[in-house]
Amino acid sequence: MNKRLLALVLTIVLIVVPLAVAFYGYNNYTKVIEPQRKPLAVKPVAVPFEGRTYPILLESYITGDPLVDINMTLRSPYERATIILGDPSFKDCKGSEACVWRVRTVSELGATIGAVFGVKYYVEDIMKSGSNKTAAYKAAKETTERIDNRYLAFIPKVEIGLGLIGNKKHLLVILKGPREGAEKNRIYCPKPGILVIEGTTEDTLFVEVLLVKTIISSQVK
């Protein structure tokens, strides 16, 4: 094989293989976050909020108890976490009711995940320093550096489809509302390391985050 042909083959390989892998991950995204089987258990709950009652389904695909699934998924020790805030159209939107609700939801979710994620580093530092102030600072610093907020664009879908995020070392939390194709009002963990919060309306999505916060807060830390 002459040098020109070899160079051409290498070029094709270097271009085609990464593209093939990327498109495989992108196409596999839905299979990763959508349950591929019936839930082991379903727990319907009714959440009162601002004069309304929101029916929400808690589905279990891991242990058979959705409350255990959620706590186990969020409380496991991770190196990093990624929160998918939603469709890229939310990135710069302002003023609309949907945007107002999504901003509230994102803020509440970020605080909830950050608090749980930081516990590990708080405990580690307080055992070393014995100082609550120092440990709190360490937890806040680690949380800020280790949690990424991203929108549901091509690259994040590829990473999720390939299992690069949403695994035992990297927590993935996804907000799935009307713009992201939500079909049910439910919260579930399709596999370890992934939490999906799905709501057919933006206000329901916000209430579901409050429910996750309640579930986490009700457990012994």
Side-chain angles (χ1 to χ4, degrees):
M1 183 179 295
N2 61 47
K3 292 183 178 180
R4 285 188 178 182
L5 183 56
L6 178 60
L8 178 60
V9 171
L10 289 175
T11 300
I12 293 174
V13 169
L14 291 174
I15 294 175
V16 172
V17 171
L19 285 175
V21 171
F23 279 103
Y24 169 80
Y26 182 82
N27 291 327
N28 198 50
Y29 161 77
T30 301
K31 291 183 180 180
V32 172
I33 69 162
E34 290 286 344
Q36 300 301 303
R37 54 191 173 89
K38 292 183 179 180
L40 299 173
V42 178
K43 181 180 178 65
V45 296
V47 183
F49 179 74
E50 294 187 351
R52 287 184 55 189
T53 299
Y54 292 79
I56 299 167
L57 298 176
L58 301 178
E59 298 180 349
S60 174
Y61 295 90
I62 302 175
T63 67
D65 186 333
L67 301 182
V68 174
D69 284 8
I70 292 170
N71 269 284
M72 182 176 69
T73 297
L74 292 182
R75 292 180 180 279
S76 294
Y78 299 98
E79 295 177 1
R80 297 197 65 81
T82 293
I83 301 175
I84 299 296
L85 308 179
D87 187 85
S89 62
F90 280 112
K91 189 173 184 179
D92 298 313
C93 72
K94 298 177 181 178
S96 71
E97 184 178 3
C99 288
V100 172
W101 275 111
R102 187 59 66 103
V103 169
R104 290 183 67 185
T105 302
V106 166
S107 177
E108 193 68 43
L109 180 61
T112 301
I113 301 303
V116 178
F117 195 86
V119 168
K120 169 187 174 182
Y121 303 101
Y122 177 86
V123 172
E124 287 179 353
D125 193 84
I126 204 166
M127 291 178 66
K128 293 178 181 178
S129 67
S131 168
N132 182 66
K133 185 176 181 179
T134 301
Y137 172 79
K138 175 69 174 180
K141 182 175 182 295
E142 292 291 345
T143 298
T144 300
E145 293 178 351
R146 294 174 183 269
I147 296 181
D148 299 318
N149 295 318
R150 304 171 70 180
Y151 291 90
L152 197 56
F154 179 79
I155 296 301
K157 283 188 175 182
V158 169
E159 294 175 338
I160 294 169
L162 294 176
L164 300 178
I165 56 179
N167 53 58
K168 292 182 179 180
K169 293 184 178 181
H170 195 133
L171 172 66
L172 171 66
V173 180
I174 299 178
L175 288 175
K176 185 179 180 182
R179 293 191 188 181
E180 296 81 30
E183 297 179 352
K184 298 181 181 180
N185 298 325
R186 59 177 177 168
I187 303 169
Y188 63 94
C189 302
K191 58 183 292 188
I194 301 177
L195 173 66
V196 180
I197 303 173
E198 179 180 358
T200 55
T201 64
E202 290 296 332
D203 54 321
T204 301
L205 204 62
F206 177 75
V207 173
E208 288 178 332
V209 171
L210 295 182
L211 178 57
V212 170
K213 182 177 181 179
T214 299
I215 292 171
I216 293 298
S217 299
S218 66
Q219 302 299 309
V220 178
K221 296 182 179 181

